[in-house]
Amino acid sequence: MSDYPEPLHNDDLAVETAKPRLKRPPLYRVLLLNDDYTTMEFVIDVLTSVFHHSEEKAAQIMMHVHQKGSGICGVFTREIAETKVEQVMQYAQQNKHPLQCTMEPDSDDDGE
Ligand code: TYC
């Protein structure tokens, strides 16, 4: 055993043990925006098929968006959030709905 505490002294080479730093990736909210033309049924369809919400939860989120102007569909890592936004936008365009979907950093995410 060495007489010295860390950093270890091996022939003048100081070797420090790296602290394990396990940072979680930043999280993003995916939001739906209200409009006057997209049908309520279509929004519920998006929320069940893309975000895997139950019919009941999907109807609740849809009504929140309808009444408040926007609402959170889910919170994901960046690439998954980007993919969800693309899927919603493509699905809406294919079905000729003006539905808008966007993402933003999750301000409840402390990054620890
Ligand atoms: N406001 C729409 C209507 O009354 C319904 C709607 C809800 C549209 C949520 C978009 O993200 C939305 N038909």
Side-chain angles (χ1 to χ4, degrees):
M1 274 296 273
S2 166
D3 291 336
Y4 298 101
E6 284 191 299
L8 301 170
H9 292 272
N10 299 331
D11 296 322
D12 290 337
L13 180 67
V15 180
E16 273 187 81
T17 313
K19 285 192 198 136
R21 292 190 188 278
L22 301 175
K23 252 193 162 183
R24 286 190 286 100
L27 297 177
Y28 294 82
R29 299 169 179 171
V30 175
L31 303 158
L32 279 182
L33 306 184
N34 189 35
D35 67 72
D36 292 339
Y37 305 102
T38 304
T39 63
M40 292 184 171
E41 291 73 19
F42 184 75
V43 178
I44 292 171
D45 181 11
V46 165
L47 288 162
T48 56
S49 60
V50 178
F51 297 95
H52 309 291
H53 288 298
S54 66
E55 285 277 335
E56 195 183 350
K57 183 75 188 171
Q60 190 187 320
I61 295 170
M62 183 280 297
M63 280 312 290
H64 177 95
V65 177
H66 176 69
Q67 288 167 352
K68 309 274 179 186
S70 68
I72 301 174
C73 313
V75 177
F76 308 95
T77 54
R78 185 169 53 79
E79 283 199 326
I80 294 176
E82 283 169 355
T83 303
K84 300 278 183 196
V85 171
E86 279 167 19
Q87 287 173 339
V88 173
M89 294 303 288
Q90 189 179 356
Y91 191 36
Q93 280 165 21
Q94 280 168 356
N95 288 276
K96 310 234 181 314
H97 288 294
L99 180 64
Q100 293 294 308
C101 183
T102 186
M103 60 191 267
E104 66 179 26
D106 178 19
S107 55
D108 293 339
D109 179 29
D110 57 14
E112 285 294 311

